[in-house]
Amino acid sequence: TIAAQQGARVVAETVTAEFAAEYRVPGRVTVTPDSAPKSFTLNQRPLTVQLSVRATPKLAPDAYLYGEAVFPGPGPLLPRPLSVFRDGMFTGHGSLALVMPGDKLALPFGVDDKVRVAYRLETGGRSTEGIFNKNRRVERRYRIEVTNRHEVAMPITVIDQIPVPQDERITVELLNDTTPPTRRDPDGRRGVVEWTDTYGPGESRVIQFGFSVSAPQDLRLSGF
């Protein structure tokens, strides 16, 4: 839609073809004769949105609210800058890639202060394995506590990663007491692990996360 100067709303007709999409705006709009940039709303389309929360506590302590929806069309959304508002309040700028009818949108709505994620290293140790061909083994264990302070249930995804070996002599394994991940290597992102579940109002849970790295004694491991 486009808002005319008198406050009336003029509906733009979307015309799609095989290789193009056009907006035909009926009527006229008065534009002031100055050099200031002008912007007008050509269309508005309500979407059915599923809210969820994502957190990557290894990188940042905050959890972020996302809205996911399927874009119905009829024409594509072209790549463009994006302004995001939550409950009528501006939360920030972003960018939008090309979205075709039927594609899923995942829009960020900023930090969710009502979801708390506490992340800490529990244990880290070294040991030597084998008798003749000794290997060095390094373990890391983390404790991730997630609390939903919303008054409604919220789907929450916690994201972390394990090392990805670039040498066949290095072995990386999840430890047996790790909370089973919902997904591993999502969308081809090697080493990424995700835990997704719906948390009730006020619910708190602990995710145990641990991995081991084994390699020959004479092989240098950076970061351990």
Side-chain angles (χ1 to χ4, degrees):
T1 59
I2 185 169
Q5 194 174 35
Q6 293 81 6
R9 306 194 71 82
V10 182
V11 177
E13 177 188 3
T14 304
V15 182
T16 59
E18 185 66 27
F19 299 102
E22 296 180 352
Y23 292 98
R24 294 178 180 173
V25 183
R28 296 181 178 181
V29 176
T30 300
V31 179
T32 55
D34 56 40
S35 59
K38 306 295 189 301
S39 63
F40 301 96
T41 301
L42 290 181
N43 212 324
Q44 291 183 346
R45 189 170 299 278
L47 302 175
T48 301
V49 175
Q50 174 65 50
L51 293 178
S52 63
V53 176
R54 302 179 192 176
T56 310
K58 181 178 182 179
L59 302 179
D62 297 317
Y64 292 85
L65 182 67
Y66 281 79
E68 294 185 344
V70 175
F71 179 63
L77 286 176
L78 300 179
R80 67 194 66 200
L82 184 69
S83 297
V84 181
F85 295 82
R86 182 175 65 185
D87 295 331
M89 299 294 293
F90 176 74
T91 61
H93 291 291
S95 60
L96 188 68
L98 176 67
V99 180
M100 299 298 293
D103 285 352
K104 180 178 287 188
L105 284 166
L107 302 175
F109 285 93
V111 173
D112 189 335
D113 296 325
K114 292 189 176 182
V115 173
R116 181 177 181 273
V117 183
Y119 183 86
R120 74 168 185 259
L121 175 66
E122 288 279 87
T123 60
R126 299 171 180 263
S127 63
T128 301
E129 302 175 321
I131 299 177
F132 299 104
N133 298 317
K134 291 186 177 181
N135 283 343
R136 181 169 69 255
R137 176 183 171 92
V138 180
E139 291 187 357
R140 294 286 186 272
R141 280 185 169 86
Y142 298 88
R143 185 181 188 272
I144 309 171
E145 184 176 0
V146 183
T147 303
N148 174 28
R149 295 176 176 172
H150 286 279
E151 296 180 359
V152 297
M154 290 294 295
I156 300 175
T157 297
V158 177
I159 305 167
D160 212 307
Q161 65 181 127
I162 61 175
V164 177
Q166 303 299 318
D167 190 308
E168 61 182 11
R169 294 172 293 174
I170 302 173
T171 301
V172 178
E173 297 177 330
L174 284 176
L175 298 179
N176 291 334
D177 55 353
T178 291
T179 303
T182 309
R183 291 202 301 171
R184 294 187 62 175
D185 302 333
D187 303 320
R189 293 175 293 163
R190 296 180 62 198
V192 174
V193 289
E194 294 182 351
W195 295 268
T196 300
D197 211 338
T198 299
Y199 290 66
E203 183 177 4
S204 181
R205 300 185 197 175
V206 172
I207 297 171
Q208 300 290 352
F209 171 46
F211 60 86
S212 66
V213 179
S214 299
Q217 287 274 29
D218 58 352
L219 184 64
R220 181 179 179 183
L221 293 176
S222 60
F224 292 94

